[in-house]
Amino acid sequence: MVYGFVRQSGGFARIESRPNEGTKVHLYFPAQVAVQAGERGPREERLPPGSEEGARGQAVVVEDDPHLRGLMEHFLTRQGYQVISFETAETAGLHLESAPAPSLVLVDAILPGGSSGFDWLCDCPQLQGILAVAVSGSSPEVIPGFDRLGSVPFLQKPFTLRTLEEAISRACPPPETGR
């Protein structure tokens, strides 16, 4: 994930590792040029044409890692979604009980407390028929509920924003297999 973030930012990473001495990770990012008084600042970041924030509906992100959650929020906002995110499936489920159905759900497989994001995705009645993408840093075979995903796209962490975009284009609803 770090490598993907650094590359997306136009930088690079260098890793030095020596036995019995440890590992050093060096992250290099492009320099930010200071703006002098009276000069024009950097161009305002703009959304791609036709993708105004919220134009594609609401996306729900359920991810316990705050850095990855923030990156996914930023990416989805740039893609035209109104994004709401949660650290746990329980809080996301409570929100969904009283909110309009989202257009898209991105869920981590293993969430705090050992709960399965995959099981939540398949069992939450508010998500039936909603487009979904599942992600995890673990091997799919060891994740509870992986066998229930059906054709929901699965991304192994770390992933690039390009593979996230491709998975979103292939997103499909979780199977209706409540317990």
Side-chain angles (χ1 to χ4, degrees):
M1 287 188 299
V2 171
Y3 176 77
F5 172 73
V6 171
R7 296 292 295 166
Q8 289 288 333
S9 300
F12 64 97
R14 189 179 83 213
I15 300 173
E16 299 171 4
S17 185
R18 294 191 178 102
N20 301 319
E21 290 183 29
T23 302
K24 291 182 183 178
V25 178
H26 304 268
L27 304 177
Y28 299 89
F29 295 95
Q32 176 68 39
V33 178
V35 178
Q36 299 294 321
E39 289 183 4
R40 293 182 61 186
R43 274 188 294 149
E44 182 180 317
E45 187 174 318
R46 296 179 193 197
L47 297 172
S51 63
E52 292 75 29
E53 184 176 343
R56 295 180 75 182
Q58 185 182 76
V60 170
V61 175
V62 183
E63 168 62 56
D64 59 320
D65 180 299
H67 301 292
L68 181 56
R69 188 171 60 241
L71 184 63
M72 288 193 287
E73 289 171 2
H74 178 75
F75 175 77
L76 290 169
T77 300
R78 296 268 306 135
Q79 296 300 309
Y81 289 95
Q82 175 192 18
V83 183
I84 185 162
S85 63
F86 303 92
E87 185 175 342
T88 68
E90 291 78 21
T91 55
L94 289 172
H95 167 77
L96 291 172
E97 287 177 7
S98 61
S103 303
L104 175 69
V105 175
L106 271 68
V107 64
D108 190 5
I110 300 174
L111 296 165
S115 65
S116 166
F118 294 164
D119 283 341
W120 173 77
L121 186 64
C122 294
D123 292 338
C124 184
Q126 292 87 355
L127 297 179
Q128 299 306 311
I130 303 299
L131 300 180
V133 174
V135 302
S136 181
S138 299
S139 175
E141 299 80 30
V142 301
I143 303 169
F146 179 75
D147 58 330
R148 300 181 66 203
L149 280 182
S151 56
V152 170
F154 172 76
L155 286 178
Q156 181 82 39
K157 296 177 189 175
F159 51 82
T160 65
L161 293 179
R162 176 171 285 216
T163 55
L164 177 58
E165 182 176 29
E166 291 168 357
I168 290 169
S169 72
R170 296 188 326 270
C172 60
E176 296 185 29
T177 59
R179 290 186 175 193

